[in-house]
Every structure is written in structure tokens, then in C-alpha cells.
Amino acid sequence: MLAAVYIDTIFTLTCATIYTWLYFIITVLHQGYCPNSYYPTESDYQTTNSSLDIIKYLSYYGTGSNLIAIQLCIDIPRYLCLAYVSIRLPMMVINKIRQYRCNKERYELKHTQEEQAFFIAVQPYSVETLYVRNLFRSANIRSPSRSFIARLVPKSIYEWRDDFRFSSRIFCIYAALFLVLFVITIKLIVEELPNLPYWQIMIERLTDFIYVNSIDSQANASQNQISSTSSVSTVKVPFFIAVFTALIITVVQIVVLLTSIRRHLLQIFRGNYTEIPKRDNLKNLLYATGNLHFAGFFIGYAVWGYILCFILAFFISYFFGKLIENNEKLFRQILTESIPVSLLSIFKVYLNLFVAKYIFLQQRNQILAINNHRVSMILLYFNFFLDAFLGLAASFTRITNSFLTTIIYMARLDYSPLGRQLDYGDAGFLAYLGFIQMEAIHRNPIMLAFVSILLVHQRTKQSNRSSKTRQKWRLALLLIHNPSLIIMRKAILTRKEGNLAFLHMMKTSEFEHLTNVNFENALKAILRREYVVHKHISLNNSDTIVSRL
């Protein structure tokens, strides 16, 4: 199917449509026999001897409508994907037939997919045209979005913009990630609900070993094993809290990452490198490899973040639930030890803020200058001993915050827990950086709009001989007014000998600091040499033609 879409002909799209419809029908017929992924067949039962699994699932789910509901929940992503492909491919075939008829009636030339994308970019309400139109407009002057979704979503949450669109690769990655999260959540709930009694036994043994002395734990071990099956609710509630907490945190993080992608791309389009490091030509290979790893790393980080958030939320909810229900003394002891330290730290922070604002800073925080220098030095001396003890507590807080932040922000590839100076040691951030740099290079709306205008102008007057001469003169004027485009031309890039010397001359300080007259003369000399080498003009009249530029 992917090959048929890439070839993009009527025959290949028709074959892909027929194949998709047949595969959909076969899938529906196969599911009509009610296969189940959790109950083995007779042959599997003989080979694996999985009688314990059968008893476990039968005793919990039974043989009624629960199994059908579970199997339908598992098959929802597959049916959604097949339904979308089964509808999308016939629409592509119909559009291709209409396009073929229109081209046949108008005797137009056949365009490639890339050229068609450029022709779309020239339209008055295309994304590239709207971006160029709003380039020097502020957010207040910019026209509101015409989309219906923009009216539903408040601007404080997300501002929908018509002059920006995500690439198809982003949509594919996010669709695959949401399907993966859905399947993992369903499988985790279905497969682990029958195992909650065993979870209860293991957790009770662990908590008894930690919080209770060995004599009491040995006396209550048998009672815990018996009562664990009846007190499954103490594990079931934290289990569901952990599942939905991990799912919500992961979904929120990947949605915030989507907004970060748009913000970073728009910043790079404007030449703003405050959040993303500026592109370095020496790291082009690093960007290319990071772009290749982006999709896999993004899904892997998100899944691993989902698992870590589930484990952390489960133990936190179970721990606090157990403290509140069964061990009030320990809970009170923890509160009595933690509350004074917290109150002292909060009092110390607000005291420093008050003293700094009203005593030490001039004009109450308006000027950054010390007002009472001697008093501040005395306070610094006596404050040193108290801050030394508070620093010990703050160090543990820093470790805890780093641990929790790393788990919660695991799905965010734009966030590196190593910091700005060590972010190149994070493989996930490198993948995100490579993806952003590649997207900014190939999807710059100003570049796409400019190239689309040139392409449309070239194709509309392709048969006129005088227009070709006019295009060459316009190209020469364009290269004179934009000398940085000279080294990006195909003719210069393909030359192996003089190319390095030419690039070296473009980078020398003497060439950059020439006067305007010498600068134009040097550019005209370069253009004359290039045009003579590629036989655009002859050597005899090269001086006359170039002097007219």
C-alpha cells in the first residue's frame, strides 16, 4: 500500500484499494469466529500446559460478554486503521481520475508530486502564502483562523494558526503513539487485574518487612496471605489510579511537545535560537542521524515514561492509602517530623524576601544595589550557619525533584534533564534537535513560497523562447542582489575543482570587507566565469553582457 501511494498512479492505487478491501473482509470474517488472545486453543494447551492461566482468566472474566468486550477493545485500533485506509484509497483513485481527465482536456504537462506541492503553495490561502503575508504582522493584527476547531479551543490553551501546519510525518508518529498507548493500557488492565491478589501478597510481605518488626510479621504472614484475596480493593484502587494517572501525564506531555515543535519551528524560521542551539555545519551528520532516530526514540521514550509513571503513581497512592487506613501512628510521626522543617524553610524564604526588599535593595526592589551594606554583611555572617543545615535538606529536595521531573518529562524529547551545557549527551534531545533542523531546512515557508513562484513562472512560459532569455537575466540580477545563493547553485556544487577555492574565497575576510564597487565587480567576475563555463554566453561578448548587469 505504501508503494502504491508513492508511485501514485491510477493502476497502483486501484490495486491497493482492492487489496485493502479484501484484507478488511478477511479480517472481519476471521473475527467472526471469535478468536481470543488470552484463552489458548487445544493444541496450545497441550504444548504449553497453561491450565493455571485458563483457570485464572475463567475465574475472573468468565465466558460471557466480558470476553467479547475485551476482544473488541483490543481490536479497535486495527479496525480504525483499516477503515481509514479503505476509505482514503478510493478517494485518491477518484481524485487521480479527475486530475487525469482535466489534464487530458487542457493538454497540460504532467507534474510530479513535489511540483504539485509547490503549485499548491502559490495559492492565495495556502499555508506558505499566509505565513509570508503575516510575516511582519503582530498577533493582534493577524487575521483569526477560519477553522472550526479554532473556535472551540480557547487561545489561552492553544492558538490555532492557519499559516502553519505540521508535516505528515508528525501526524503519522502521533497516530502510532496514541495507538500504542491505547493497546498498552488495555493489555495492562486486562492481563493484570486477575493478578492483583498476588500483587497484594507481595506488597504486604514487603511492607511488613519494612515497617513491622520481624516477630509481628511472622505472626501475621499467614493472616495476610489469607486476607489478601479479600482485600484486593486496597490494590485495585491504586492500580486504576496509577493507570489513568500515567496515561494522563503521558498524553499531556506529548501534546505539550506538539506545541513545542511548532514554537521551535517558528522560532527557527525567524532566526531565533534562544531555545534551540544554532545550526552548526560541522554537526550535519549528527543532525541527519538524529532525524532518522526521532520517530523510534519518541515512541520508546513515551512508552518508558508511561511505565515509570505507572510504577511511581502506584506506589505513592498505595503507600498513602495504607498509612491513612492501617498505620495512623506512622503517618502522624512522619507529619510531626516533616511539618516543622517545612515551616522553618518557608519562614526562612519569606524572611529573606522581606529583608531583601525593604532593607537591602534600594527603592524597594526597583534598583539592584545594596542599601545597608554593613547590615547585610552581618546578616550574611549569621545566616551562613543556618543555610548550611538548610542546604543539606535542599540537596535531598534537589535529588527528589530531579528524579520526579525526569520520570514525568520522559516523553518530552525537547527537554533534556542534563541541562543546556550537557544536552548533547542526551540521545533523545539529539534526535529532537536533528528533526527540528531538518524540518526547518526543508519546510521553511518563505523558501517554499519563493521557489513555488519561480516554478510556476517557469512552467507557465516554458514554450516561449524570449522568456528563457528573460529568466536568465533575472537569475543574474537575483544572484547579484543575493550573493549567498551563488554557492548553493547546482552548477557550483557539482564542480569538484574550483569549488573549494571559490568557497574559500567567499569565506575570506578580504571578500567580506570589500567596498560596494569592488564587491559588485567581484560578483560580476564570478558570474561571467560561471556563465562562460556552462556556455550560457560566449567569451567574446561576456564583458559587454555582464557590464549591463
Side-chain angles (χ1 to χ4, degrees), residues 178-190:
F178 278 115
L179 292 178
V180 168
L181 292 177
F182 178 82
V183 172
I184 289 178
T185 303
I186 296 298
K187 285 186 173 293
L188 181 63
I189 293 175
V190 172

Side-chain angles (χ1 to χ4, degrees), residues 510-511 513-526:
E510 293 81 1
F511 188 80
H513 293 86
L514 288 176
T515 61
N516 294 329
V517 178
N518 295 331
F519 187 72
E520 286 190 9
N521 294 332
L523 285 177
K524 291 178 180 179
I526 294 170

Side-chain angles (χ1 to χ4, degrees), residues 158 174 249-264 409 412 414 432:
Y158 182 78
Y174 268 79
I249 290 175
T250 307
V251 170
V252 169
Q253 292 297 334
I254 61 179
V255 170
V256 173
L257 178 61
L258 191 64
T259 60
S260 298
I261 291 174
R262 189 184 73 169
R263 185 179 70 255
H264 292 158
Y409 283 81
R412 292 278 300 277
D414 62 323
Y432 177 78

Side-chain angles (χ1 to χ4, degrees), residues 253 256-261 263-264 275-276 294 298 409-417 423 426 428-430 432-433 436:
Q253 292 297 334
V256 173
L257 178 61
L258 191 64
T259 60
S260 298
I261 291 174
R263 185 179 70 255
H264 292 158
E275 297 186 24
I276 297 296
F294 174 73
F298 181 37
Y409 283 81
M410 181 64 70
R412 292 278 300 277
L413 295 186
D414 62 323
Y415 166 79
S416 178
D423 51 7
D426 188 359
F429 181 78
L430 285 180
Y432 177 78
L433 184 61
I436 291 294

Side-chain angles (χ1 to χ4, degrees), residues 453-496:
I453 293 173
L454 294 181
L455 181 62
V456 170
H457 183 75
Q458 179 184 4
R459 286 303 180 95
T460 53
K461 298 182 178 181
Q462 192 172 12
S463 59
N464 192 357
R465 185 178 181 85
S466 62
S467 64
K468 295 182 180 180
T469 306
R470 192 180 301 110
Q471 289 172 7
K472 293 180 181 179
W473 281 100
R474 290 175 178 175
L475 177 62
L477 290 174
L478 174 67
L479 295 178
I480 284 181
H481 293 292
N482 300 275
S484 61
L485 298 177
I486 298 176
I487 61 175
M488 301 301 295
R489 296 201 64 200
K490 184 178 180 181
I492 295 179
L493 294 175
T494 53
R495 290 179 57 188
K496 294 183 179 179

Side-chain angles (χ1 to χ4, degrees), residues 93-141:
V93 174
I94 295 173
N95 293 332
K96 199 69 179 178
I97 294 173
R98 291 177 179 176
Q99 182 181 1
Y100 175 76
R101 288 183 177 180
C102 295
N103 293 338
K104 189 175 181 181
E105 293 176 359
R106 300 177 183 177
Y107 299 98
E108 294 180 355
L109 297 175
K110 183 179 179 181
H111 304 297
T112 61
Q113 294 182 358
E114 290 79 8
E115 292 177 346
Q116 292 176 4
F118 282 118
F119 284 126
I120 294 174
V122 188
Q123 301 301 322
Y125 291 100
S126 65
V127 175
E128 293 78 12
T129 304
L130 292 176
Y131 180 85
V132 175
R133 189 180 302 168
N134 299 328
L135 190 61
F136 297 102
R137 295 178 180 176
S138 61
N140 298 327
I141 305 175

Side-chain angles (χ1 to χ4, degrees), residues 85-250:
V85 175
S86 300
I87 297 173
R88 181 60 180 171
L89 286 176
M91 294 176 60
M92 296 178 64
V93 174
I94 295 173
N95 293 332
K96 199 69 179 178
I97 294 173
R98 291 177 179 176
Q99 182 181 1
Y100 175 76
R101 288 183 177 180
C102 295
N103 293 338
K104 189 175 181 181
E105 293 176 359
R106 300 177 183 177
Y107 299 98
E108 294 180 355
L109 297 175
K110 183 179 179 181
H111 304 297
T112 61
Q113 294 182 358
E114 290 79 8
E115 292 177 346
Q116 292 176 4
F118 282 118
F119 284 126
I120 294 174
V122 188
Q123 301 301 322
Y125 291 100
S126 65
V127 175
E128 293 78 12
T129 304
L130 292 176
Y131 180 85
V132 175
R133 189 180 302 168
N134 299 328
L135 190 61
F136 297 102
R137 295 178 180 176
S138 61
N140 298 327
I141 305 175
R142 188 169 58 239
S143 59
S145 177
R146 300 183 300 168
S147 177
F148 177 73
I149 304 178
R151 303 173 186 174
L152 300 178
V153 181
K155 290 186 178 180
S156 59
I157 298 177
Y158 182 78
E159 183 182 1
W160 199 277
R161 296 183 57 171
D162 291 337
D163 57 352
F164 180 85
R165 65 179 177 185
F166 293 99
S167 61
S168 57
R169 185 185 180 191
I170 288 293
F171 289 109
C172 294
I173 292 173
Y174 268 79
L177 180 57
F178 278 115
L179 292 178
V180 168
L181 292 177
F182 178 82
V183 172
I184 289 178
T185 303
I186 296 298
K187 285 186 173 293
L188 181 63
I189 293 175
V190 172
E191 293 184 0
E192 295 301 329
L193 275 179
N195 295 325
L196 291 183
Y198 302 100
W199 287 33
Q200 178 71 22
I201 295 174
M202 295 176 60
I203 294 173
E204 288 292 338
R205 289 179 179 177
L206 181 62
T207 54
D208 287 341
F209 178 78
I210 295 175
Y211 296 110
V212 187
N213 53 36
S214 60
I215 299 176
D216 294 337
S217 64
Q218 292 177 0
N220 297 328
S222 58
Q223 296 180 1
N224 289 332
Q225 293 179 3
I226 297 172
S227 62
S228 60
T229 57
S230 60
S231 61
V232 183
S233 60
T234 59
V235 180
K236 182 180 291 186
V237 174
F239 175 79
F240 281 103
I241 291 175
V243 169
F244 290 106
T245 302
L247 183 62
I248 292 172
I249 290 175
T250 307

